[in-house]
Amino acid sequence: SEGACDELQITESTWNGSGILIVNGDLKITGGNFSGVLWVIGTLSVSGNPDIDGAIYVESGAEIETSVTGNPEIEFDDEAVSDAFDFIPSDLPPQLISWKED
């Protein structure tokens, strides 16, 4: 429907990710481990027991709240942020991996 956002859900406790994760929509994390930069254009919901090291940027408007419940471990880690940018090769331009048009 018009105005609806897609949602990415990370629910598996064994999920591991690192680098820069940009979500064009909402992100719901209830498990797993992530090290790097999370950039969420929609809303962010963190619950359960995920472990997130690095930095989180939520781009949604002030009227939308980010929710954090459960027992997550969320720590700013400048080394994890720096390491996330190591995934970007200096000799290649950025690449578009996925594109969706409404």
Side-chain angles (χ1 to χ4, degrees):
S1 67
E2 188 175 318
C5 285
D6 291 327
E7 181 179 73
L8 172 64
Q9 293 188 23
I10 300 172
T11 59
E12 295 294 321
S13 61
T14 57
W15 181 83
N16 284 298
S18 62
I20 302 170
L21 176 60
I22 300 172
V23 180
N24 186 12
D26 301 334
L27 175 61
K28 180 178 183 181
I29 302 176
T30 60
N33 297 291
F34 184 80
S35 177
V37 177
L38 289 176
W39 185 331
V40 182
I41 296 171
T43 62
L44 173 65
S45 174
V46 180
S47 61
N49 298 304
D51 185 1
I52 302 169
D53 295 320
I56 300 173
Y57 177 73
V58 181
E59 193 175 313
S60 61
E63 71 278 358
I64 301 173
E65 293 185 20
T66 297
S67 96
V68 179
T69 61
N71 297 308
E73 290 196 26
I74 301 173
E75 289 185 44
F76 173 74
D77 184 330
D78 60 346
E79 186 173 331
V81 172
S82 178
D83 289 348
F85 287 95
D86 289 342
F87 287 99
I88 301 172
S90 61
D91 59 340
L92 294 175
Q95 298 178 357
L96 184 61
I97 304 299
S98 175
W99 179 266
K100 179 181 177 188
E101 188 172 322
D102 290 330

